[in-house]
Amino acid sequence: MAAAATMAAAARELVLRAGASDMEEEEGPLGGGPGLQEPLQLGELDITSDEFILDEVDVHIQANLEDELVKEALKTGVDLRHYSKQVELELQQIEQKSIRDYIQESENIASLHNQITACDAVLERMEQMLGAFQSDLSSISSEIRTLQEQSGAMNIRLRNRQAVRGKLGELVDGLVVPSALVTAILEAPVTEPRFLEQLQELDAKAAAVREQEARGTAACADVRGVLDRLRVKAVTKIREFILQKIYSFRKPMTNYQIPQTALLKYRFFYQFLLGNERATAKEMRDEYVETLSKIYLSYYRSYLGRLMKVQYEEVAEKDDLMGVEDTAKKGFFSKPSLRSRNTIFTLGTRGSVISPTELEAPILVPHTAQRGDQRYPFEALFRSQHYALLDNSCREYLFICEFFVVSGPAAHDLFHAVMGRTLNMTLKHLESYLADCYDAIAVFLCIHIVLRFRNIAAKRDVPALDRYWEQVLALLWPRFELILEMNVQSVRSTDPQRLGGLDTRPHYITRRYAEFSSALVSINQTIPNERTMQLLGQLQVEVENFVLRVAAEFSSRKEQLVFLINNYDMMLGVLMERAADDSKEVESFQQLLNARTQEFIEELLSPPFGGLVAFVKEAESLIERGQAERLRGEEARVTQLIRGFGSSWKSSVESLSQDVMRSFTNFRNGTSIIQGALTQLIQLYHRFHRVLSQPQLRALPARAELINIHHLMVELKKHKPNF
């Protein structure tokens, strides 16, 4: 219907704009009188309106033209005036029909109006009720907040009262002295567990009372008297118990580790004295220090005196030096039984004293050794003495720290108060002994014993002996260096002409050096010390010079070389038994031995084969300089050499082998020299063959008499000795 109305309005507008001025007057929609004229209501198409806008008119026209009904009417050529009247008529009919419908439903509409009015009244009452309810809720909310505030305040008061009750309960519990505590302190023996438990309770209560008194708590006065009497009783019983244990140390043949263990079991006793009766605690500590100090001093003085009685009777003296003539003491370097005397320059089994198993072995028992007629070197006595000192000192230091509740410098001071006199006595004894000690191996072994014991003490976390170890080393090192320098000086000042008859066998001084050096090198390998290696280097230089001085006493170069080789070989062999193959001493003597051996081989081949050697060297020199033509004048000499070698080489080799085996004491070394000499002889004859192959000597008739080189090698192998 709206589209039809719009189309009618559009039609009217088109009519008006076409210039139609004779439009008939229409009656009103309700059939008004003919003389009543109403203005045409064009709405938005009213061009007389002040709000009319041409642009909007164009828009409405365009929109109406796009309507489907308008398009259909325009296409079919409908008369717009007629169509507009038809539409208006239809509108009037529809309007009249709608009015009739409203009239028919007037009762229902009136009823609906009454119902709506009633609903409005109900909703108004509901609104009033909800408003009253909202007011009630706001008042309840304020009451809840008030209750919450009151509850929070009550909770705070409750917590405060509970805190006060807890503090007050602790205070009362700390001040109240139960009957069980009184009974245990007064009647129970100190060794019973309940005495220790109640003593701890008494200590806690005494500490609590002192704390509360400092805060001004008046209730402390009520229990102070009771606690003081209990404390005095406990201190008295504890003092008697500790003194009894300390006095038990003084009994002869007492194993003082047993009372120490008992004291550690009740170490809280001393802590109680320290916290409640410092004067008594100091008395106990001083009594312990005085008693144990005397016991240790007496024990170690007695043990040390008895221990020195089982030392070897024969010890090194100031004349027992490396460079002293062997005639000064007959049989000095023989190998006596270790039960009867000590050794000077030979290590033997003495080095086992620093092995892990022997180092911490049980200490020596002097009276048992005397009963079995056993004797020991000084380093064994030194190890036993200091192992006992180490073991007891570690145990004592740990006991002091645990029982007397000390650590750091305080523990060091208390330890030295107990062990100081014993350590000083031990140092004085060592200093006195070293003043007349000339056994460098013993002193060096003692140094390494100290180094190992120092490491053991460090592993046991006992630093109290560090200063003592340094003092012992300060005594041992200078003495060791002095003895070593005395030996160096003795070798340096030795006059070979005063040594009596000489032979080419290894000299006893070099044997002393070899044994002594290998001993020190093998000991020093475990914990290397550069100072020791420097001193050994000085001694080695002096021994090498000594060997050269003695060798110069022989008239022939061959004897000199035999003497040098025998001594170098002996020293090298002894060193290699104990020292590492790559040590400086081994490398040095190996080089010296190789050089002298090569020189001796040349000296050995010179008498029987000297002419052959000289000719080969001269010929090779001429060939190298390009003067081989001069060899043509050597036919006679070459012929004589060929025939002389062929006739005498076997006897010469046999004589050479016998001479070598007689000259060298080490058969293995002699065999090596013979092998080297035969190898050099083969090389020499091979070089002789190459010289004769030169064009100048190739036509020499005597070349047919040359021995085949392979045949010579086979024959020479028969002369190689086997050992």
mmCIF file with all atom_site columns, all heavy atoms in Angstrom, residues 642-661:
data_model
loop_
_atom_site.group_PDB
_atom_site.id
_atom_site.type_symbol
_atom_site.label_atom_id
_atom_site.label_alt_id
_atom_site.label_comp_id
_atom_site.label_asym_id
_atom_site.label_entity_id
_atom_site.label_seq_id
_atom_site.pdbx_PDB_ins_code
_atom_site.Cartn_x
_atom_site.Cartn_y
_atom_site.Cartn_z
_atom_site.occupancy
_atom_site.B_iso_or_equiv
_atom_site.pdbx_formal_charge
_atom_site.auth_seq_id
_atom_site.auth_comp_id
_atom_site.auth_asym_id
_atom_site.auth_atom_id
_atom_site.pdbx_PDB_model_num
ATOM 1   N N   . ILE A 1 642 ? 147.207 -56.960 0.982  1.00 0.00 ? 642 ILE A N   1
ATOM 2   C CA  . ILE A 1 642 ? 146.282 -58.058 0.692  1.00 0.00 ? 642 ILE A CA  1
ATOM 3   C C   . ILE A 1 642 ? 146.823 -59.369 1.246  1.00 0.00 ? 642 ILE A C   1
ATOM 4   O O   . ILE A 1 642 ? 146.112 -60.127 1.922  1.00 0.00 ? 642 ILE A O   1
ATOM 5   C CB  . ILE A 1 642 ? 146.037 -58.152 -0.822 1.00 0.00 ? 642 ILE A CB  1
ATOM 6   C CG1 . ILE A 1 642 ? 145.278 -56.914 -1.322 1.00 0.00 ? 642 ILE A CG1 1
ATOM 7   C CG2 . ILE A 1 642 ? 145.255 -59.425 -1.157 1.00 0.00 ? 642 ILE A CG2 1
ATOM 8   C CD1 . ILE A 1 642 ? 145.131 -56.871 -2.827 1.00 0.00 ? 642 ILE A CD1 1
ATOM 9   N N   . ARG A 1 643 ? 148.090 -59.646 0.991  1.00 0.00 ? 643 ARG A N   1
ATOM 10  C CA  . ARG A 1 643 ? 148.667 -60.921 1.430  1.00 0.00 ? 643 ARG A CA  1
ATOM 11  C C   . ARG A 1 643 ? 148.854 -60.946 2.958  1.00 0.00 ? 643 ARG A C   1
ATOM 12  O O   . ARG A 1 643 ? 148.650 -61.973 3.594  1.00 0.00 ? 643 ARG A O   1
ATOM 13  C CB  . ARG A 1 643 ? 149.991 -61.144 0.721  1.00 0.00 ? 643 ARG A CB  1
ATOM 14  C CG  . ARG A 1 643 ? 149.790 -61.395 -0.783 1.00 0.00 ? 643 ARG A CG  1
ATOM 15  C CD  . ARG A 1 643 ? 151.096 -61.421 -1.524 1.00 0.00 ? 643 ARG A CD  1
ATOM 16  N NE  . ARG A 1 643 ? 150.863 -61.677 -2.955 1.00 0.00 ? 643 ARG A NE  1
ATOM 17  C CZ  . ARG A 1 643 ? 151.812 -61.620 -3.883 1.00 0.00 ? 643 ARG A CZ  1
ATOM 18  N NH1 . ARG A 1 643 ? 153.060 -61.291 -3.543 1.00 0.00 ? 643 ARG A NH1 1
ATOM 19  N NH2 . ARG A 1 643 ? 151.505 -61.867 -5.144 1.00 0.00 ? 643 ARG A NH2 1
ATOM 20  N N   . GLY A 1 644 ? 149.168 -59.784 3.524  1.00 0.00 ? 644 GLY A N   1
ATOM 21  C CA  . GLY A 1 644 ? 149.347 -59.746 4.976  1.00 0.00 ? 644 GLY A CA  1
ATOM 22  C C   . GLY A 1 644 ? 148.029 -59.957 5.716  1.00 0.00 ? 644 GLY A C   1
ATOM 23  O O   . GLY A 1 644 ? 147.979 -60.681 6.720  1.00 0.00 ? 644 GLY A O   1
ATOM 24  N N   . PHE A 1 645 ? 146.976 -59.351 5.237  1.00 0.00 ? 645 PHE A N   1
ATOM 25  C CA  . PHE A 1 645 ? 145.667 -59.535 5.865  1.00 0.00 ? 645 PHE A CA  1
ATOM 26  C C   . PHE A 1 645 ? 145.201 -60.973 5.733  1.00 0.00 ? 645 PHE A C   1
ATOM 27  O O   . PHE A 1 645 ? 144.684 -61.565 6.694  1.00 0.00 ? 645 PHE A O   1
ATOM 28  C CB  . PHE A 1 645 ? 144.642 -58.591 5.230  1.00 0.00 ? 645 PHE A CB  1
ATOM 29  C CG  . PHE A 1 645 ? 143.283 -58.666 5.860  1.00 0.00 ? 645 PHE A CG  1
ATOM 30  C CD1 . PHE A 1 645 ? 142.982 -57.915 6.983  1.00 0.00 ? 645 PHE A CD1 1
ATOM 31  C CD2 . PHE A 1 645 ? 142.299 -59.506 5.345  1.00 0.00 ? 645 PHE A CD2 1
ATOM 32  C CE1 . PHE A 1 645 ? 141.730 -57.994 7.572  1.00 0.00 ? 645 PHE A CE1 1
ATOM 33  C CE2 . PHE A 1 645 ? 141.053 -59.579 5.930  1.00 0.00 ? 645 PHE A CE2 1
ATOM 34  C CZ  . PHE A 1 645 ? 140.766 -58.816 7.052  1.00 0.00 ? 645 PHE A CZ  1
ATOM 35  N N   . GLY A 1 646 ? 145.408 -61.586 4.506  1.00 0.00 ? 646 GLY A N   1
ATOM 36  C CA  . GLY A 1 646 ? 144.940 -62.943 4.295  1.00 0.00 ? 646 GLY A CA  1
ATOM 37  C C   . GLY A 1 646 ? 145.655 -63.952 5.169  1.00 0.00 ? 646 GLY A C   1
ATOM 38  O O   . GLY A 1 646 ? 145.071 -64.964 5.560  1.00 0.00 ? 646 GLY A O   1
ATOM 39  N N   . SER A 1 647 ? 146.904 -63.695 5.501  1.00 0.00 ? 647 SER A N   1
ATOM 40  C CA  . SER A 1 647 ? 147.677 -64.656 6.281  1.00 0.00 ? 647 SER A CA  1
ATOM 41  C C   . SER A 1 647 ? 147.530 -64.473 7.791  1.00 0.00 ? 647 SER A C   1
ATOM 42  O O   . SER A 1 647 ? 147.726 -65.421 8.550  1.00 0.00 ? 647 SER A O   1
ATOM 43  C CB  . SER A 1 647 ? 149.165 -64.553 5.892  1.00 0.00 ? 647 SER A CB  1
ATOM 44  O OG  . SER A 1 647 ? 149.646 -63.241 6.197  1.00 0.00 ? 647 SER A OG  1
ATOM 45  N N   . SER A 1 648 ? 147.196 -63.270 8.240  1.00 0.00 ? 648 SER A N   1
ATOM 46  C CA  . SER A 1 648 ? 147.247 -63.022 9.692  1.00 0.00 ? 648 SER A CA  1
ATOM 47  C C   . SER A 1 648 ? 145.915 -62.603 10.317 1.00 0.00 ? 648 SER A C   1
ATOM 48  O O   . SER A 1 648 ? 145.849 -62.412 11.528 1.00 0.00 ? 648 SER A O   1
ATOM 49  C CB  . SER A 1 648 ? 148.277 -61.931 9.989  1.00 0.00 ? 648 SER A CB  1
ATOM 50  O OG  . SER A 1 648 ? 147.888 -60.695 9.390  1.00 0.00 ? 648 SER A OG  1
ATOM 51  N N   . TRP A 1 649 ? 144.866 -62.434 9.548  1.00 0.00 ? 649 TRP A N   1
ATOM 52  C CA  . TRP A 1 649 ? 143.659 -61.857 10.138 1.00 0.00 ? 649 TRP A CA  1
ATOM 53  C C   . TRP A 1 649 ? 143.017 -62.766 11.190 1.00 0.00 ? 649 TRP A C   1
ATOM 54  O O   . TRP A 1 649 ? 142.492 -62.298 12.203 1.00 0.00 ? 649 TRP A O   1
ATOM 55  C CB  . TRP A 1 649 ? 142.641 -61.505 9.055  1.00 0.00 ? 649 TRP A CB  1
ATOM 56  C CG  . TRP A 1 649 ? 141.939 -62.683 8.409  1.00 0.00 ? 649 TRP A CG  1
ATOM 57  C CD1 . TRP A 1 649 ? 142.338 -63.368 7.311  1.00 0.00 ? 649 TRP A CD1 1
ATOM 58  C CD2 . TRP A 1 649 ? 140.731 -63.299 8.857  1.00 0.00 ? 649 TRP A CD2 1
ATOM 59  N NE1 . TRP A 1 649 ? 141.467 -64.372 7.015  1.00 0.00 ? 649 TRP A NE1 1
ATOM 60  C CE2 . TRP A 1 649 ? 140.447 -64.348 7.964  1.00 0.00 ? 649 TRP A CE2 1
ATOM 61  C CE3 . TRP A 1 649 ? 139.857 -63.077 9.913  1.00 0.00 ? 649 TRP A CE3 1
ATOM 62  C CZ2 . TRP A 1 649 ? 139.348 -65.175 8.102  1.00 0.00 ? 649 TRP A CZ2 1
ATOM 63  C CZ3 . TRP A 1 649 ? 138.756 -63.904 10.042 1.00 0.00 ? 649 TRP A CZ3 1
ATOM 64  C CH2 . TRP A 1 649 ? 138.497 -64.931 9.154  1.00 0.00 ? 649 TRP A CH2 1
ATOM 65  N N   . LYS A 1 650 ? 143.085 -64.098 10.980 1.00 0.00 ? 650 LYS A N   1
ATOM 66  C CA  . LYS A 1 650 ? 142.465 -65.003 11.949 1.00 0.00 ? 650 LYS A CA  1
ATOM 67  C C   . LYS A 1 650 ? 143.178 -64.959 13.291 1.00 0.00 ? 650 LYS A C   1
ATOM 68  O O   . LYS A 1 650 ? 142.545 -64.858 14.351 1.00 0.00 ? 650 LYS A O   1
ATOM 69  C CB  . LYS A 1 650 ? 142.456 -66.425 11.406 1.00 0.00 ? 650 LYS A CB  1
ATOM 70  C CG  . LYS A 1 650 ? 141.489 -66.634 10.248 1.00 0.00 ? 650 LYS A CG  1
ATOM 71  C CD  . LYS A 1 650 ? 141.430 -68.105 9.852  1.00 0.00 ? 650 LYS A CD  1
ATOM 72  C CE  . LYS A 1 650 ? 140.414 -68.322 8.714  1.00 0.00 ? 650 LYS A CE  1
ATOM 73  N NZ  . LYS A 1 650 ? 140.328 -69.758 8.331  1.00 0.00 ? 650 LYS A NZ  1
ATOM 74  N N   . SER A 1 651 ? 144.499 -65.043 13.241 1.00 0.00 ? 651 SER A N   1
ATOM 75  C CA  . SER A 1 651 ? 145.253 -65.002 14.498 1.00 0.00 ? 651 SER A CA  1
ATOM 76  C C   . SER A 1 651 ? 145.121 -63.645 15.176 1.00 0.00 ? 651 SER A C   1
ATOM 77  O O   . SER A 1 651 ? 145.052 -63.555 16.418 1.00 0.00 ? 651 SER A O   1
ATOM 78  C CB  . SER A 1 651 ? 146.730 -65.317 14.223 1.00 0.00 ? 651 SER A CB  1
ATOM 79  O OG  . SER A 1 651 ? 147.274 -64.354 13.309 1.00 0.00 ? 651 SER A OG  1
ATOM 80  N N   . SER A 1 652 ? 145.050 -62.598 14.359 1.00 0.00 ? 652 SER A N   1
ATOM 81  C CA  . SER A 1 652 ? 144.909 -61.262 14.941 1.00 0.00 ? 652 SER A CA  1
ATOM 82  C C   . SER A 1 652 ? 143.554 -61.112 15.637 1.00 0.00 ? 652 SER A C   1
ATOM 83  O O   . SER A 1 652 ? 143.461 -60.544 16.735 1.00 0.00 ? 652 SER A O   1
ATOM 84  C CB  . SER A 1 652 ? 145.057 -60.200 13.850 1.00 0.00 ? 652 SER A CB  1
ATOM 85  O OG  . SER A 1 652 ? 146.345 -60.253 13.270 1.00 0.00 ? 652 SER A OG  1
ATOM 86  N N   . VAL A 1 653 ? 142.492 -61.630 15.005 1.00 0.00 ? 653 VAL A N   1
ATOM 87  C CA  . VAL A 1 653 ? 141.163 -61.551 15.609 1.00 0.00 ? 653 VAL A CA  1
ATOM 88  C C   . VAL A 1 653 ? 141.107 -62.371 16.887 1.00 0.00 ? 653 VAL A C   1
ATOM 89  O O   . VAL A 1 653 ? 140.516 -61.956 17.903 1.00 0.00 ? 653 VAL A O   1
ATOM 90  C CB  . VAL A 1 653 ? 140.090 -62.013 14.607 1.00 0.00 ? 653 VAL A CB  1
ATOM 91  C CG1 . VAL A 1 653 ? 138.748 -62.205 15.294 1.00 0.00 ? 653 VAL A CG1 1
ATOM 92  C CG2 . VAL A 1 653 ? 139.962 -61.008 13.472 1.00 0.00 ? 653 VAL A CG2 1
ATOM 93  N N   . GLU A 1 654 ? 141.717 -63.539 16.889 1.00 0.00 ? 654 GLU A N   1
ATOM 94  C CA  . GLU A 1 654 ? 141.732 -64.375 18.087 1.00 0.00 ? 654 GLU A CA  1
ATOM 95  C C   . GLU A 1 654 ? 142.471 -63.690 19.225 1.00 0.00 ? 654 GLU A C   1
ATOM 96  O O   . GLU A 1 654 ? 142.005 -63.669 20.375 1.00 0.00 ? 654 GLU A O   1
ATOM 97  C CB  . GLU A 1 654 ? 142.396 -65.721 17.755 1.00 0.00 ? 654 GLU A CB  1
ATOM 98  C CG  . GLU A 1 654 ? 142.354 -66.717 18.890 1.00 0.00 ? 654 GLU A CG  1
ATOM 99  C CD  . GLU A 1 654 ? 140.955 -67.171 19.207 1.00 0.00 ? 654 GLU A CD  1
ATOM 100 O OE1 . GLU A 1 654 ? 140.100 -67.179 18.292 1.00 0.00 ? 654 GLU A OE1 1
ATOM 101 O OE2 . GLU A 1 654 ? 140.694 -67.511 20.392 1.00 0.00 ? 654 GLU A OE2 1
ATOM 102 N N   . SER A 1 655 ? 143.605 -63.111 18.891 1.00 0.00 ? 655 SER A N   1
ATOM 103 C CA  . SER A 1 655 ? 144.378 -62.390 19.912 1.00 0.00 ? 655 SER A CA  1
ATOM 104 C C   . SER A 1 655 ? 143.606 -61.177 20.419 1.00 0.00 ? 655 SER A C   1
ATOM 105 O O   . SER A 1 655 ? 143.613 -60.870 21.625 1.00 0.00 ? 655 SER A O   1
ATOM 106 C CB  . SER A 1 655 ? 145.721 -61.954 19.315 1.00 0.00 ? 655 SER A CB  1
ATOM 107 O OG  . SER A 1 655 ? 146.433 -61.156 20.236 1.00 0.00 ? 655 SER A OG  1
ATOM 108 N N   . LEU A 1 656 ? 142.934 -60.518 19.518 1.00 0.00 ? 656 LEU A N   1
ATOM 109 C CA  . LEU A 1 656 ? 142.138 -59.338 19.884 1.00 0.00 ? 656 LEU A CA  1
ATOM 110 C C   . LEU A 1 656 ? 141.023 -59.727 20.855 1.00 0.00 ? 656 LEU A C   1
ATOM 111 O O   . LEU A 1 656 ? 140.806 -59.060 21.871 1.00 0.00 ? 656 LEU A O   1
ATOM 112 C CB  . LEU A 1 656 ? 141.579 -58.719 18.608 1.00 0.00 ? 656 LEU A CB  1
ATOM 113 C CG  . LEU A 1 656 ? 140.677 -57.491 18.681 1.00 0.00 ? 656 LEU A CG  1
ATOM 114 C CD1 . LEU A 1 656 ? 140.874 -56.638 17.424 1.00 0.00 ? 656 LEU A CD1 1
ATOM 115 C CD2 . LEU A 1 656 ? 139.200 -57.879 18.762 1.00 0.00 ? 656 LEU A CD2 1
ATOM 116 N N   . SER A 1 657 ? 140.340 -60.814 20.573 1.00 0.00 ? 657 SER A N   1
ATOM 117 C CA  . SER A 1 657 ? 139.232 -61.237 21.425 1.00 0.00 ? 657 SER A CA  1
ATOM 118 C C   . SER A 1 657 ? 139.730 -61.599 22.820 1.00 0.00 ? 657 SER A C   1
ATOM 119 O O   . SER A 1 657 ? 139.126 -61.238 23.837 1.00 0.00 ? 657 SER A O   1
ATOM 120 C CB  . SER A 1 657 ? 138.516 -62.435 20.798 1.00 0.00 ? 657 SER A CB  1
ATOM 121 O OG  . SER A 1 657 ? 137.976 -62.085 19.542 1.00 0.00 ? 657 SER A OG  1
ATOM 122 N N   . GLN A 1 658 ? 140.853 -62.329 22.887 1.00 0.00 ? 658 GLN A N   1
ATOM 123 C CA  . GLN A 1 658 ? 141.393 -62.709 24.189 1.00 0.00 ? 658 GLN A CA  1
ATOM 124 C C   . GLN A 1 658 ? 141.844 -61.489 24.980 1.00 0.00 ? 658 GLN A C   1
ATOM 125 O O   . GLN A 1 658 ? 141.639 -61.416 26.200 1.00 0.00 ? 658 GLN A O   1
ATOM 126 C CB  . GLN A 1 658 ? 142.556 -63.687 23.986 1.00 0.00 ? 658 GLN A CB  1
ATOM 127 C CG  . GLN A 1 658 ? 142.135 -65.018 23.388 1.00 0.00 ? 658 GLN A CG  1
ATOM 128 C CD  . GLN A 1 658 ? 143.324 -65.938 23.136 1.00 0.00 ? 658 GLN A CD  1
ATOM 129 O OE1 . GLN A 1 658 ? 144.487 -65.568 23.398 1.00 0.00 ? 658 GLN A OE1 1
ATOM 130 N NE2 . GLN A 1 658 ? 143.052 -67.134 22.605 1.00 0.00 ? 658 GLN A NE2 1
ATOM 131 N N   . ASP A 1 659 ? 142.443 -60.552 24.277 1.00 0.00 ? 659 ASP A N   1
ATOM 132 C CA  . ASP A 1 659 ? 142.901 -59.333 24.953 1.00 0.00 ? 659 ASP A CA  1
ATOM 133 C C   . ASP A 1 659 ? 141.715 -58.555 25.543 1.00 0.00 ? 659 ASP A C   1
ATOM 134 O O   . ASP A 1 659 ? 141.779 -58.052 26.674 1.00 0.00 ? 659 ASP A O   1
ATOM 135 C CB  . ASP A 1 659 ? 143.667 -58.469 23.948 1.00 0.00 ? 659 ASP A CB  1
ATOM 136 C CG  . ASP A 1 659 ? 144.315 -57.272 24.620 1.00 0.00 ? 659 ASP A CG  1
ATOM 137 O OD1 . ASP A 1 659 ? 144.451 -57.284 25.867 1.00 0.00 ? 659 ASP A OD1 1
ATOM 138 O OD2 . ASP A 1 659 ? 144.674 -56.302 23.924 1.00 0.00 ? 659 ASP A OD2 1
ATOM 139 N N   . VAL A 1 660 ? 140.608 -58.463 24.801 1.00 0.00 ? 660 VAL A N   1
ATOM 140 C CA  . VAL A 1 660 ? 139.432 -57.735 25.282 1.00 0.00 ? 660 VAL A CA  1
ATOM 141 C C   . VAL A 1 660 ? 138.834 -58.431 26.496 1.00 0.00 ? 660 VAL A C   1
ATOM 142 O O   . VAL A 1 660 ? 138.503 -57.785 27.503 1.00 0.00 ? 660 VAL A O   1
ATOM 143 C CB  . VAL A 1 660 ? 138.385 -57.615 24.154 1.00 0.00 ? 660 VAL A CB  1
ATOM 144 C CG1 . VAL A 1 660 ? 137.049 -57.126 24.713 1.00 0.00 ? 660 VAL A CG1 1
ATOM 145 C CG2 . VAL A 1 660 ? 138.878 -56.657 23.078 1.00 0.00 ? 660 VAL A CG2 1
ATOM 146 N N   . MET A 1 661 ? 138.716 -59.739 26.454 1.00 0.00 ? 661 MET A N   1
ATOM 147 C CA  . MET A 1 661 ? 138.093 -60.446 27.564 1.00 0.00 ? 661 MET A CA  1
ATOM 148 C C   . MET A 1 661 ? 138.953 -60.409 28.820 1.00 0.00 ? 661 MET A C   1
ATOM 149 O O   . MET A 1 661 ? 138.437 -60.478 29.940 1.00 0.00 ? 661 MET A O   1
ATOM 150 C CB  . MET A 1 661 ? 137.797 -61.898 27.172 1.00 0.00 ? 661 MET A CB  1
ATOM 151 C CG  . MET A 1 661 ? 136.848 -62.033 25.980 1.00 0.00 ? 661 MET A CG  1
ATOM 152 S SD  . MET A 1 661 ? 135.354 -61.003 26.124 1.00 0.00 ? 661 MET A SD  1
ATOM 153 C CE  . MET A 1 661 ? 134.601 -61.713 27.563 1.00 0.00 ? 661 MET A CE  1
#
